[in-house]
Amino acid sequence: MNPTRYAMSNASPTLLWFRRDLRLADNPALTAAVRRGRPVVAVYILDDEDAGDWASGGASRWWLHHSLERLAESLRGRGSRLILRRGAAAAVLDRLISETGAEAVYWNRCYEPWATARDQAIKASLRLRGHEVRSFNASLLREPWEIASKVGGPYRVFTPFWKALRAMGDPGDLLPTPDRIPTLEVAPASDDIDAWALTPSKPDWAFGLRAAWKPGEAAARQRLEAFLDGAAPEYAKRRNFPGTNGTSRLSPHLHFGEIGPRQIWHAASFHHTGMATDQFLSEIAWREFSHHLLFHFPMLPTTPLRPEFADFQWSDDPGALAAWRHGMTGYPIVDAGMRELWATGWMHNRVRMIVASFLVKDLLLPWQVGARWFWDTLVDADLASNSASWQWVAGCGSDAAPFFRVFNPSLQGAKFDPQGTYVRRWVPEIAGLPDSIIHKPSDARLIDLSDAGIRLGHDYPLPIIDHRAARDRALTAFRSLRAA
Ligand SMILES: Cc1cc2nc3c(=O)[nH]c(=O)nc-3n(C[C@H](O)[C@H](O)[C@H](O)COP(=O)(O)OP(=O)(O)OC[C@H]3O[C@@H](n4cnc5c(N)ncnc54)[C@H](O)[C@@H]3O)c2cc1C
């Protein structure tokens, strides 16, 4: 690579490092880079090396591939180009700086502990060498350090956090998409995205993901509009019912930054006054709260926030874990959720709570094992939301559901999927059972089973554990924890 070739068009381009802000609208780092008035070199770095244990899982990689393709198209439409590189970000940026003569590096912030440590080191090192380095907020309404409790520390409980966030008022004005992005005459070399092998080939397990999702900024905007025009007014009533289209399904778009929470806030608050805005925005605030927790308690993904849980005696039962992962527990709502997850890379929030409770409390398996499975299979896998939610369900997080509140999967199913719509979709082998028994096939009369053409234990598993006994076991384990 000859650095003088890039100097031809304009001195000192700005390196714009895309990360989890894969959009052009309301993107502060992009806007600032364009305003700097020099050519912009847009780069995405596949930084598995930096992420270590938290490199993206399989479903997220599938999403990333398609999201980067869409971003590259959008950049091309504005006269720019997306440069793809892989490796440790510090070294990749250094190489790009020497290839292009860039004097400035801009990015939008991430909040994972490994990313903040890395970014601080990169910032310090580049500044020491005289580069201009600027970072911005594209992912959150307010950054974790902007909100503090009355005594000055981080919040541990959601409601006061949400009140404080609300009290800060509407987020600032949105930034427009730049019409043109000035670029170098000769762009630096880019990897070929196919060579990154982010999408599965042998076997190709992504057909369900392809059918369910359209990654990218344009699709994110369409999804938001469709939600606001469709399900939003009924959100508060329907958000807990997995058989309905009651929620926005924006989570993977938000995770990859194809849309930002400020855009959602503005759209929800200002254009659709009839909807259950407050309830919807409070869910967006749960995402903010999770980031707040991860930032202030960086051990959140691995270590219980409540220290007494460190010595909890979890079980080790590979057979039960396999049944849970494959949706073969004999509890239809659990199995439906786990199969939806495997097929589409997503699961409804209510069902996430049910399957997580089942793993942690009925099977007494460690929440970290469940979180890891979600990490690999969710298209919206997010270190902050996933870790905080698993700790919440397990009862060991801040503001957590108490451990003694053990979901009964059959009753949860009957309450939130009363007609069995959701279960019939994902567990078709029991679709013929009447509504009254669809969530508890093991209680079905022989006549119902034979009418529905089901042999329990053959066509569909018998429950792998008796819920009542499992609940007693969990409560005993929990009491011993408190007594210790
Ligand atoms: C065990 C468990 C694991 C989870 N793992 C993740 C994860 O890895 N990534 C993730 O984005 N969400 C996670 N969630 C939270 C929640 O289930 C999803 O955000 C939600 O189901 C996404 O669907 P939606 O976009 O239709 O949500 P909507 O109801 O439309 O909500 C809008 C947005 O608010 C945010 N949100 C909603 N509920 C929550 C919540 N409880 N916590 C944090 N943010 C929330 C999401 O960004 C969501 O897109 C988890 C929940 C549980 C119980």
Side-chain angles (χ1 to χ4, degrees), residues 235 247-251 254 283 349 352 380 382 386 389:
Y235 180 76
T247 69
S248 71
R249 298 185 184 230
L250 281 165
S251 49
L254 265 165
E283 299 306 323
N349 181 60
R352 290 187 205 204
D380 64 24
D382 181 275
N386 198 39
S389 301

Side-chain angles (χ1 to χ4, degrees), residues 300-380:
L300 184 77
T302 50
T303 311
L305 286 188
R306 289 173 186 240
E308 67 270 25
F309 274 84
D311 297 327
F312 196 84
Q313 292 301 304
W314 298 106
S315 295
D316 175 19
D317 184 344
L321 178 61
W324 179 79
R325 283 178 173 165
H326 296 130
M328 295 295 280
T329 66
Y331 286 94
I333 191 82
V334 174
D335 295 339
M338 298 308 291
R339 295 180 195 190
E340 179 183 30
L341 173 63
W342 183 250
T344 69
W346 188 86
M347 193 196 300
H348 188 278
N349 181 60
R350 167 60 49 181
V351 191
R352 290 187 205 204
M353 293 196 287
I354 298 170
V355 304
S357 172
F358 187 79
L359 183 85
V360 170
K361 296 181 183 174
D362 287 63
L363 301 181
L364 274 195
L365 293 173
W367 59 270
Q368 294 94 331
V369 170
R372 199 28 100 166
W373 181 249
F374 272 29
W375 184 255
D376 204 31
T377 50
L378 278 172
V379 284
D380 64 24

Side-chain angles (χ1 to χ4, degrees), residues 227-244:
F227 171 68
L228 292 175
D229 291 341
E234 297 288 306
Y235 180 76
K237 265 194 239 148
R238 290 182 19 199
R239 55 181 283 273
N240 270 312
F241 293 82
T244 68

